[in-house]
Amino acid sequence: MVKMKLVKWVPLVVAVVLFVSMFHESSALFTPVDNYLIACGSSQSVTFLGRTYIPDSVQSSMALKTQGNSIIVTSNSSVPFPVYQSARIFPSTASYKFDINQQGRHWVRLYFYPLPKSGQNLTSASITVITENFVLLNNFTFKNYNGSYLFKEFAVNVTSDNLILTFIPSNNSVAFVNAIEVVSIPDELIPDQALAVSPSAPFSGLSEHALETVYRLNMGGPLLTPQNDTLGRTWENDAKYLHVNGSAVNYSVSPADIRYKSAVTPEVAPNWVYATAETMGDSNVPNGNFNITWVFPVDPNFTYFIRTHFCDIVSKSLNSLVFNVYINSDIAFPSMDLSSLTSDLSVPYYKDFVSNASSNSNTLTISVGPDSEADIPDAIMNGLEIMKVSNEARSLDGFLPVEILRPVSPSTKSKIGIIIGSIAGALAAVALVGLCCCCLVSQRSKTAHQGHTWLPLPLYGNSLTMTKMSTTSQKSGTASCISLTSSNLGRFFTFQEIMDATNKFDESLLLGVGGFGRVYKGTLEDGTKVAVKRGNPRSEQGLAEFRTEIEMLSKLRHRHLVSLIGYCDERSEMILVYEYMANGPLRSHLYGTDLPSLSWKQRLEICIGAARGLHYLHTGAAQSIIHRDVKTTNILLDENFVAKVADFGLSKTGPALDQTHVSTAVKGSFGYLDPEYFRRQQLTEKSDVYSFGVVLMEVLCTRPALNPVLPREQVNIAEWAMSWQKKGMLDQIMDSNLAGKVNPASLKKFGETAEKCLAEHGVDRPSMGDVLWNLEYALQLEETSSALMEPEDNSTNHIPGIPLTPLEPFDNSVSMVDGVNSGTDDDAEDAATSAVFSQLVNPRGR
Ligand SMILES: *[C@@H]1O[C@H](CO)[C@@H](O)[C@H](O)[C@H]1NC(C)=O
Ligand SMILES: *[C@@H]1O[C@H](CO)[C@@H](O)[C@H](O)[C@H]1NC(C)=O
Ligand SMILES: *[C@@H]1O[C@H](CO)[C@@H](O)[C@H](O)[C@H]1NC(C)=O
Ligand SMILES: *[C@@H]1O[C@H](CO)[C@@H](O)[C@H](O)[C@H]1NC(C)=O
Ligand SMILES: *[C@@H]1O[C@H](CO)[C@@H](O)[C@H](O)[C@H]1NC(C)=O
Ligand SMILES: *[C@@H]1O[C@H](CO)[C@@H](O)[C@H](O)[C@H]1NC(C)=O
Ligand SMILES: *[C@@H]1O[C@H](CO)[C@@H](O)[C@H](O)[C@H]1NC(C)=O
Ligand SMILES: *[C@@H]1O[C@H](CO)[C@@H](O)[C@H](O)[C@H]1NC(C)=O
Ligand SMILES: *[C@@H]1O[C@H](CO)[C@@H](O)[C@H](O)[C@H]1NC(C)=O
Ligand SMILES: *[C@@H]1O[C@H](CO)[C@@H](O)[C@H](O)[C@H]1NC(C)=O
Ligand SMILES: *[C@@H]1O[C@H](CO)[C@@H](O)[C@H](O)[C@H]1NC(C)=O
Ligand SMILES: *[C@@H]1O[C@H](CO)[C@@H](O)[C@H](O)[C@H]1NC(C)=O
């Protein structure tokens, strides 16, 4: 069984000891604590590669929850493998919930095969699969796929007592799945750290990511199936990935010769992997000095975890094999000398790296080649695993985070119903006490007419009991008070009024389309220009945001916050009416349009205005409010270019005094998201500060926060601008329109301020008040420089460290637009003087 070559060199004693230890190893095989093998929709158990899959209908400690009926199909015509012979088809969102006995990483393996004759055309089905925290598959369809079946393997760290896998069909389609595995992985297998390549540096934080296996190779060896691997992995032969056919020579020894030592166990890779290798061997080439290179097509939008497996099965003596390992033509491990790493021959060794695809290509290349120092030019590789690392959106497929893909579940809806219901109840009670309500009746009777349903809104036919109750009590007992209560939330508009104002939602008045719905320019009866945001009735996510926005905005009045004038919830509509902001979103003045370029002073003033608005949000109200979606499309400009912060759909009240953060599902816009919030899901005002830092960079560099088309290091403005700021060369990447027109001191102050906002950790970031002060200082520096020509200099009396203007956290003197509440004509006019609203939000932006 042991090859002749080796017998000569390995002492018999060692072989015996080895044999004993092998025996010992096999008795200590890893047994997964959680081990679900599920045959979906099957009526009987299915055995495949030595493992038995249990029908999902009989598997205990696992539950299937569907919103509609699921359809079971089985087939006994030819399927690629037995696991694919049945499927469960979901016409609407469905979830499998697995009880997890041991938290930590688990394999999640999914099998898909569009069974023919299933009554549905599964080839055109479109499947999205999410866990509570990660997107595993986004809108996959066999229609565009070059293969008859799909197998996916993920490694997900489960940090609660259950794992919920949710299958979401896309529009008018179905989702399906044939089989699922959820199996524990030993904690040590996938580390938190690896070595980043180019530049070479330690990388940590892997444990917070989900991984997806994209390649797993047994170099120079046969296909290994789950039967040959205690962790149920599949290892394929590498030959088809070789850059040059025949540039490697396979070599193998008996698997029994592999001697596992300390850190490396058969769970890292089975001995079959280490017992075979690709080598340079006696390759038939004149020049023995070349690399063996493997090329792997990958999605360049992701980072990859690369595990290389080595075992010196070729050398006759220690220290004779020294070679280099390259990833994308960057040296990843120079002068690897296996015998000094393992102190022996035939001892497995592995090394983990993290790398992106090679620049400007959709491939990842791995090479091994001889080191110039080596006596014998040879290089070896035994195994290779390449795993995709989930991105900033916690997705392994695209840029959309779970929060966007997950439909609102009925249970969440009912909770919102109850909360809003009780708020409504409380407000109604307060209203009852109010004496003045009666006097308003006659004035308001034309708005509070029949069919008007006050919040909570029975938006869908299936509205909940709690909702109905409060609506009923409204109508019966307190009808006359509706106007008062609703006045707290701004003016109520009838649907007809809205139709008239927008000329029946004339498309020519469309200002923008957002995640929530469409925004139209409107003109009220009295000539007031307004922006009308009409929620998409189908957008269930919109319902919660609609309510948040009404509640938040009705509490807030500030010169630098866009005012809510009123709303309409008649006929299941979700319509918000805002002041019209003539100059639209800040972003459209930065790039992507033909609008004239803003001067540096204008930019500073706009940033200061927005910072004031945010500062007020954070400190002005009784409880601080975190905006959560600060970006250049949510900063609007009125006719005088006064900046106002808009879109409070995602806002949250901040931590109470005794807490330091609120825990919440990550929401916001990709590119602006606070990395700390992302990791810890703990929201503080400093998350807004980070996003504002991104806005500052965007204002300076006039490019999108995220531009995947650019070279990798430039994709993310936060990273890109920070690297230049750290070199003190921010002027190199700033808007060319500003070149030579900016006071260097002002720019420096601005850059430093943005840099502080973008600090990795929230505690290191300044408060919005500090940011505001620094920006005002930058403006002052700019003005001082332009005023140098003039004799008059009245700005030097400002001493750094003392705020230039009072911060006015409770600043309502300027801006209290209470008129829109009481509905008097004066106030309506007041609101009328403010201007356009428009929100050209990237529909998929959040
Ligand atoms: C399976 O095949 C048998 C004959 O091969 C056939 O009689 C039976 O109807 C098939 N069952 C299904 C579900 O297709
Ligand atoms: C199913 O849909 C795919 C893609 O739309 C199409 O190519 C195929 O012909 C359809 N099959 C059947 C049986 O309708
Ligand atoms: C899903 O894919 C289909 C076809 O591949 C496409 O038409 C549809 O727009 C996609 N949906 C989303 C949400 O990306
Ligand atoms: C599809 O698969 C076939 C056979 O596996 C292969 O020859 C072809 O190049 C593939 N096409 C694409 C676009 O990947
Ligand atoms: C869903 O379908 C509707 C109408 O059929 C269409 O307007 C909408 O764009 C579709 N959405 C997606 C994401 O495909
Ligand atoms: C899983 O996540 C938890 C919490 O973040 C962490 O403590 C643990 O180390 C992770 N486990 C693994 C195996 O990465
Ligand atoms: C190893 O190489 C030989 C000769 O090139 C070939 O016949 C054999 O199939 C290879 N073995 C594997 C496992 O690839
Ligand atoms: C994998 O396991 C199966 C079943 O035990 C066995 O038949 C096969 O030979 C094994 N493969 C290798 C490469 O040893
Ligand atoms: C590479 O080798 C395979 C067999 O190992 C052969 O089928 C294929 O045609 C070769 N390709 C080239 C480009 O030589
Ligand atoms: C990478 O992301 C860009 C931008 O979203 C997209 O156009 C491209 O298709 C993605 N690349 C791949 C290989 O999916
Ligand atoms: C091996 O590849 C690396 C990276 O591409 C390159 O720098 C080196 O010169 C190559 N070595 C040989 C012998 O071709
Ligand atoms: C200086 O003061 C005058 C009025 O006193 C004011 O108009 C001007 O804007 C001020 N200049 C600066 C740079 O603050």
Side-chain angles (χ1 to χ4, degrees), residues 139 170-172 536 538 844:
N139 200 16
S170 80
N171 244 358
N172 308 323
N536 178 353
R538 285 186 303 271
R844 301 236 130 258

Side-chain angles (χ1 to χ4, degrees), residues 378-606:
D378 200 358
I380 179 175
M381 190 176 277
N382 302 63
L384 178 68
E385 292 172 270
I386 300 180
M387 301 180 95
K388 195 194 256 183
V389 179
S390 59
N391 61 17
E392 208 184 322
R394 289 189 298 164
S395 173
L396 285 160
D397 192 359
F399 288 126
L400 299 181
V402 164
E403 288 74 19
I404 288 172
L405 295 171
R406 190 204 319 271
V408 174
S409 72
S411 64
T412 327
K413 257 196 262 173
S414 77
K415 269 190 213 130
I416 294 169
I418 290 164
I419 294 164
I420 304 273
S422 41
I423 293 171
L427 285 177
V430 170
L432 264 173
V433 182
L435 281 171
C436 53
C437 66
C438 299
C439 10
L440 284 169
V441 175
S442 56
Q443 201 185 333
R444 276 313 195 101
S445 55
K446 55 175 191 224
T447 52
H449 65 85
Q450 214 190 4
H452 159 210
T453 56
W454 189 64
L455 291 174
L457 329 159
L459 282 181
Y460 307 97
N462 61 355
S463 75
L464 303 139
T465 328
M466 193 62 205
T467 325
K468 278 199 178 121
M469 267 166 53
S470 51
T471 314
T472 322
S473 70
Q474 277 292 329
K475 279 186 182 161
S476 54
T478 62
S480 60
C481 290
I482 288 170
S483 53
L484 182 70
T485 43
S486 51
S487 80
N488 291 336
L489 297 164
R491 172 172 162 195
F492 172 77
F493 288 90
T494 64
F495 189 64
Q496 191 55 47
E497 282 175 290
I498 301 286
M499 292 279 278
D500 294 345
T502 58
N503 196 12
K504 299 201 178 68
F505 298 105
D506 188 341
E507 290 294 298
S508 68
L509 297 174
L510 193 65
L511 293 172
V513 181
F516 176 89
R518 291 163 165 261
V519 183
Y520 298 86
K521 181 176 173 179
T523 312
L524 299 183
E525 236 175 320
D526 61 3
T528 311
K529 289 217 176 61
V530 291
V532 175
K533 182 150 110 177
R534 186 187 193 187
N536 178 353
R538 285 186 303 271
S539 146
E540 299 191 23
Q541 182 196 2
L543 175 60
E545 292 186 17
F546 179 61
R547 289 171 172 156
T548 311
E549 181 131 13
I550 293 184
E551 285 171 30
M552 291 284 177
L553 268 183
S554 54
K555 282 188 289 199
L556 304 164
R557 295 287 161 200
H558 189 271
R559 177 170 151 76
H560 293 289
L561 300 183
V562 166
S563 305
L564 180 71
I565 294 176
Y567 70 97
C568 167
D569 62 345
E570 215 177 63
R571 294 206 218 161
S572 306
E573 290 282 348
M574 299 186 288
I575 295 172
L576 296 170
V577 181
Y578 302 88
E579 59 176 323
Y580 180 68
M581 299 291 286
N583 277 312
L586 168 58
R587 181 181 179 151
S588 60
H589 295 270
L590 297 175
Y591 49 87
T593 63
D594 301 330
L595 295 173
S597 160
L598 297 170
S599 73
W600 181 237
K601 184 159 172 260
Q602 272 178 314
R603 294 182 205 212
L604 285 171
E605 279 166 349
I606 288 167

Side-chain angles (χ1 to χ4, degrees), residues 54-92:
I54 314 286
D56 54 1
S57 49
V58 306
Q59 173 73 49
S60 57
S61 57
M62 183 214 81
L64 171 61
K65 196 175 81 189
T66 54
Q67 278 173 23
N69 289 327
S70 64
I71 304 157
I72 292 170
V73 287
T74 52
S75 162
N76 57 5
S77 59
S78 72
V79 289
F81 297 109
V83 267
Y84 294 108
Q85 75 187 21
S86 68
R88 200 176 275 273
I89 303 176
F90 308 112
S92 55

Side-chain angles (χ1 to χ4, degrees), residues 289-291 326 329:
N289 195 12
F290 64 96
N291 288 329
Y326 305 92
S329 71

